[in-house]
Structure formats: structure tokens, C-alpha cells
Amino acid sequence: MILDLVEYTADRDLTQWTITDPACGTGAFLLSIAERLSAACRKHGKDLPEQAIRAFDLLERNVRESRTSVVDLLTADGWDRAQVEKLVRKWIKCGDYLLEPDHQSDFVVGNPPYIRLEDVPDQRMRVYRKNQRTMVGRSDIYIGFFEKALKSLPHGGVLGFICADRWMRNQYGRELRKMVADRYSMRAVVIMHDVDAFESQVSAYPAITVLCNEPQGSVVAADTTARFGAQQAQELLSWVHTEGSPEESNDAFQVARLPHWFSADESWPVGSPSRLAMLEYLNDRFPTLEETATRVGIGVATGADAVFVTTDPSVVEHDRLLPMAMVKDAKSGRFQWHGTYLVNPWGSSGDLVDLDGYPKLKRYFEAHQAALKGRYVAKQKPNHWYKTIDKVDPKLTNRPKLLLPDMKTTIHPVLDEGGYYPHHNLYYVVSDSWDIKVLGGLLLSRVAQAFVEAYAVRMRGGTLRFQAQYLRRIRVPAPDSLSRADALALAEAFDQRDVQAATAAALRAYGIDRIPD
């Protein structure tokens, strides 16, 4: 299937190109490559070429087994054994692909190894990181295989790997995503999490990824089920090579043809092919939330909530207390303050207040000196030992804002009409352009939920992280583009906490008829 997707097929003159398997193992890819190369040579009346195949493996026993299998296959197909043995010794070598000299290759295919960098000897790891700049953070070695393979492709060259898809979303994949977005193109992604794709059982969240050294064009996005096998692979390939319907769905796979792929080094979305097609449509036509004079932020982190957060209004001077919005205040869907305060060390000018001007505040902080001075933020600035990690924005308190708890199964915007400062477990949205209730209706809808589901980390029990980085990915219509009827419907749905009504109004505002599963 991968060889078909990269168009390494026996009907083409394969003698003019080089194909590389960077981690050949016992020859799973090599046997199919050799079979196709042999058929192409017969078709075009040519000998087996010396430069046709390059393959590497770290283990000598794998190299021996691969060589033997390929020699047996080609000899059975009528090629001279002595000639084949000589060629195969040149084709298949024992070596570390990541340390091999750079070599151009028209096709690179295979199943690169999954090895955490911390499991690699230190000296070798340093060389890997130096040579493969995308191997950042807690990277996996397969990131380096992607980078080296992509760099080896001439214009029009194609890479086809079956590999873990975590790099498309995880932090350690950001530099590889940026590299792909800047210089290469996505041709196909086939998610295979439930497919028994390997000779032994593994838990690697595999996906087939086909990347090209050419401008970005349309993309095949597919998701498979446990019923996906060889026959269903042929059905999928038949759909790929036929200009028919933009989507197909059965009990083995869903597939859609997208006009292009998602760019940038931020995490790429996850979802069914039809869901991805919807997101791409919306991304192409609507601005992000923050492009509509709207700001997404997070509440104040103190570094010592036991000191800075209190329900006792007598502990310090009244004007050093800031009513604080907590997750529990937003739990019902309507803001209900439970009497929590921030002990606020910040003045209206944005600077720390002088403790000598606030005797009660000074005594309170000095009573908790050990805890406050032990924080990293205090050690960095000893003279500011009583500061919170985040500075308090005095203008935010009285602004109407939508509050969103960090962890929920569904998106949960709640209106604070003003007067409260959010805690760091709450994200907030303020806007200079939106009627805040109309925006609340959009964010309550399943359309907004679909954006967060596509990008956010999902925890056990289906809980999502509604963090600023994901909320900023939400696309919204321009405020002045909404009809009066839709704006009123969104505001009313938000007031009533009616997700179904909010979704119906949002679908009209976006000009779509449904949210795909």
C-alpha cells in the first residue's frame, strides 16, 4: 500500500530511480521493492541497476536475512544468482542511517525505529541532535529519520513511512512540523491505530504518512478500523486513484480528499477525515478568535495559593483584596461567587506596592516569608519576594469576560459581567468587537467544541484541556457578518445554556449544515 501511495509501481521504469529503506529489518519492504523492480526491468528490457536500492540496518543478522530473502526472490524470478548476490551486497548494508553520508534518493519508504533519545548512548545522541536539528526536547529517534529522509529527496521525491503519528501533535514534533510546512508537502495520512499492521503486537499509534518535495496540493486523509486489511487497502487505493466523490466511508475506513494540509509548527488537528475537511473549510474562510479584536488569556498564577488565595476578608487591608473567580464559581454555567479573594501585592500602576504603606499586608506576608521566599520566582528577584508569578492586570477585573475552566469534557463558557479576577485554572476571553453573549453562544456551540477536540490533549475519561493555545485555534465569523436573527439566537442560547440552539445558530453563521462525526 505504501509503495502504491508513493507511486513506486512496476508499470514505471524503476531503473531510473533510487529507493531507500533506512531501517530495513528482515526485509518486509525490500521483498516488495525487489519484486516490483524485477517486474519493471522485465517490462522495459533492462538489467537490474546497481543504484536502484539502498537499505540499512544496525543489526548484522537482519542484514544477512534481508540479503538472503532478496537473493532468493530475484533468483526465483530468473536472474543470475551470482550477479544478484553481488548487487544485493551493495544494496543492503549494515549501518546507522542517521550517520550515513547524505545521499539523494527519489523514494524513501519504511518503518523507522521508535527509540527514545534518552535510551541512546550519550555520545551518539549528541551527534544525532547535531545532525538532525528537528530532534528537540524529549524527541524520539524516528524524528531524525523523517528529517534525513526528507532532505535526501530531490524535487518530486516522495517519502512513505508507517510510523507513530505523535509527532503531528506533540511538543517534540514542532520543528519537524515546521520543516514540513515550510519546505515540503503532505500527500496522504492514513491513521491505523486499531490495525494489526506489524508482524508483532505493538502500541505505537501508527499512521502511514506520505510527504513530498513539491508544492502543497490536495491531501488524502483516511482513518481505519480494526477491519482494515489487504482487501480494504486495495479498495482505499482504488478510491485514491479515482476522481470520484470527495469522501468515502465504510466499516473499514473513512477517507476524504482535502484541498491542502494544515500548515504551521503548531499541532496538527486530529479527527475523522470528514471532520478534518470541515476544519480546513472553516480555517480557509474565517478569522481566528484573536483576529477579531478578542483576547484569550489565563488567570493569575501565584506560586503560593495557600498564601495569596483566601476567603477571610480581614487578613489584609480591604483595597489589597481582589474578588477572585474560581472554577467552582463557574460550575453551574452561571457565575456564582463563593467569596474567594486574591491577596493582591500589585498596585494600579502595575508595580508592586510598598509594604510599608500597608501594615496588615506587611505582617501577613512576613508571617509567610519562608513559603514565599522559597519559590523560584522569589529567588530570581529577592527584592520582589512577595510578588505573584503573574502580574495582575488592573483593567481586567471590571471587564465583562467569558470564563472557561481548564479541564472539562465539553466547552463551558461562563459570563463574568465584571468585578472578578480569574484564577489560573480558568481561561478568559475578552473582546473589543463582540457582544460578549453572542460570542458566548458561539463558544458554547459544538462548532467551537470541534475545534478544541481536534487540537487539544484528551485525558482519561474524555476530559479535554481548554487551554489558551487551543482556544486560539477556534475560527469565528466576523462580528458584523452575523445577521441580527443569528446574533439574537446565539445570545439567547447562551443565556439559556442551550447547546443545541447555540449549535443550530452557529451552523447558520458559519454556513455549514452539520458537524461530521
Side-chain angles (χ1 to χ4, degrees):
M1 179 178 171
I2 292 174
L3 293 175
D4 281 351
L5 286 172
V6 302
E7 298 181 344
Y8 189 86
T9 52
D11 60 309
R12 308 179 75 188
D13 183 3
L14 300 180
T15 64
Q16 61 182 310
W17 296 306
T18 299
I19 187 168
T20 298
D21 183 344
C24 66
T26 56
F29 277 84
L30 286 175
L31 289 172
S32 290
I33 290 169
E35 183 178 30
R36 293 180 182 214
L37 177 62
S38 177
C41 288
R42 299 293 192 202
K43 177 180 173 63
H44 294 278
K46 296 184 178 182
D47 290 333
L48 293 168
E50 185 175 311
Q51 88 295 340
I53 298 173
R54 299 177 73 243
F56 303 92
D57 200 272
L58 280 172
L59 301 180
E60 185 65 48
R61 66 175 182 272
N62 285 348
V63 173
R64 287 195 302 268
E65 185 171 341
S66 292
R67 285 175 173 173
T68 299
S69 298
V70 173
V71 167
D72 289 347
L73 182 147
L74 292 174
T75 303
D77 200 29
W79 298 95
D80 177 72
R81 176 173 285 272
Q83 177 196 9
V84 167
E85 286 178 344
K86 183 178 179 181
L87 277 175
V88 167
R89 282 195 296 272
K90 294 181 178 180
W91 286 348
I92 308 170
K93 297 180 179 180
C94 188
D96 186 337
Y97 176 71
L98 294 184
L99 302 182
E100 287 291 317
D102 294 338
H103 192 289
Q104 186 169 287
S105 187
D106 304 282
F107 304 91
V108 183
V109 298
N111 171 218
Y114 314 152
I115 306 171
R116 302 294 297 179
L117 270 180
E118 53 261 37
D119 296 328
V120 178
D122 287 347
Q123 184 175 355
R124 181 167 293 207
M125 180 183 69
R126 285 193 292 272
V127 177
Y128 284 168
R129 286 192 185 273
K130 180 181 177 182
N131 293 344
Q132 279 73 232
R133 300 292 184 175
T134 59
M135 296 176 73
V136 296
R138 294 177 59 82
S139 182
D140 193 292
I141 196 172
Y142 73 79
I143 297 292
F145 277 75
F146 268 100
E147 178 180 336
K148 188 173 179 69
L150 285 170
K151 287 180 176 177
S152 76
L153 299 178
H155 181 74
V158 191
L159 173 154
F161 280 169
I162 181 165
C163 189
D165 66 357
R166 301 294 88 181
W167 69 276
M168 298 184 190
R169 282 167 286 282
N170 283 354
Q171 182 70 8
Y172 70 66
R174 67 186 185 278
E175 291 300 322
L176 179 56
R177 291 194 297 271
K178 186 176 188 300
M179 179 181 174
V180 171
D182 289 347
R183 297 168 50 190
Y184 300 92
S185 62
M186 182 73 75
R187 181 181 288 182
V189 179
V190 183
I191 304 300
M192 303 181 74
H193 293 181
D194 298 320
V195 179
D196 187 13
F198 300 100
E199 293 175 348
S200 57
Q201 198 68 33
V202 296
S203 299
Y205 301 103
I208 290 172
T209 307
V210 180
L211 300 166
C212 310
N213 185 5
E214 62 186 17
Q216 183 65 60
S218 65
V219 182
V220 170
D223 195 3
T224 61
T225 72
R227 295 180 62 85
F228 190 83
Q231 179 182 335
Q232 291 76 25
Q234 289 304 312
E235 292 173 5
L236 177 56
L237 287 167
S238 177
W239 183 91
V240 169
H241 295 130
T242 303
E243 290 295 332
S245 63
E247 297 183 14
E248 177 72 29
S249 181
N250 55 47
D251 62 356
F253 64 83
Q254 297 179 54
V255 62
R257 189 172 278 107
L258 313 182
H260 55 76
W261 189 244
F262 304 88
S263 61
D265 58 345
E266 296 179 330
S267 63
W268 290 338
V270 63
S272 70
S274 54
R275 178 73 68 93
L276 293 179
M278 179 200 75
L279 292 173
E280 195 170 69
Y281 173 88
L282 297 178
N283 283 342
D284 287 345
R285 287 162 177 78
F286 296 97
T288 62
L289 193 55
E290 289 196 328
E291 288 171 341
T292 62
T294 299
R295 180 161 62 99
V296 179
I298 187 172
V300 62
T302 69
D305 277 2
V307 178
F308 286 104
V309 179
T310 183
T311 57
D312 183 354
S314 67
V315 292
V316 297
E317 288 83 359
H318 178 73
D319 63 344
R320 291 295 91 214
L321 292 171
L322 196 57
M324 175 167 265
M326 308 293 287
V327 168
K328 62 185 176 182
D329 301 329
K331 188 174 182 180
S332 71
R334 298 187 184 281
F335 187 80
Q336 296 175 305
W337 188 52
H338 286 73
T340 303
Y341 296 92
L342 174 71
V343 177
N344 183 16
W346 300 97
S348 58
S349 64
D351 296 322
L352 287 171
V353 298
D354 183 350
L355 292 182
D356 288 335
Y358 295 91
K360 291 180 70 175
L361 181 68
K362 184 176 183 179
R363 286 195 299 272
Y364 180 76
F365 281 156
E366 286 178 344
H368 296 283
Q369 250 186 107
L372 294 179
K373 289 187 174 181
R375 299 172 302 153
Y376 176 79
V377 67
K379 292 177 181 178
Q380 291 296 103
K381 291 190 174 183
N383 291 336
H384 296 172
W385 60 273
Y386 56 96
K387 74 187 292 287
T388 53
I389 291 176
D390 297 327
K391 189 177 284 191
V392 168
D393 176 3
K395 297 178 182 177
L396 180 61
T397 305
N398 291 320
R399 291 194 70 173
K401 48 194 165 291
L402 297 169
L403 302 174
L404 295 104
D406 180 1
M407 293 186 288
K408 295 282 287 186
T409 55
T410 57
I411 197 164
H412 189 73
V414 175
L415 176 62
D416 162 21
E417 294 184 343
Y420 303 91
Y421 204 92
H423 184 253
H424 69 91
N425 285 337
L426 286 169
Y427 291 84
Y428 65 84
V429 178
V430 292
S431 182
D432 295 326
S433 61
W434 282 97
D435 177 313
I436 202 70
K437 289 187 177 182
V438 175
L439 181 57
L442 282 172
L443 295 185
L444 184 67
S445 76
R446 288 290 173 254
V447 182
Q449 174 84 11
F451 276 99
V452 178
E453 286 176 344
Y455 294 106
V457 174
R458 189 179 291 275
M459 304 172 71
R460 286 184 179 178
T463 300
L464 289 165
R465 301 298 302 273
F466 288 90
Q467 297 173 319
Q469 61 182 313
Y470 307 128
L471 297 172
R472 291 184 180 118
R473 306 295 287 271
I474 297 173
R475 300 277 173 160
V476 292
D480 58 5
S481 71
L482 295 182
S483 70
R484 179 171 174 77
D486 286 344
L488 288 172
L490 286 165
E492 183 176 350
F494 180 67
D495 271 336
Q496 300 300 318
R497 308 299 297 174
D498 189 335
V499 175
Q500 186 173 348
T503 302
L507 290 174
R508 292 194 299 272
Y510 285 101
I512 56 178
D513 57 3
R514 67 185 183 92
I515 301 168
D517 294 334

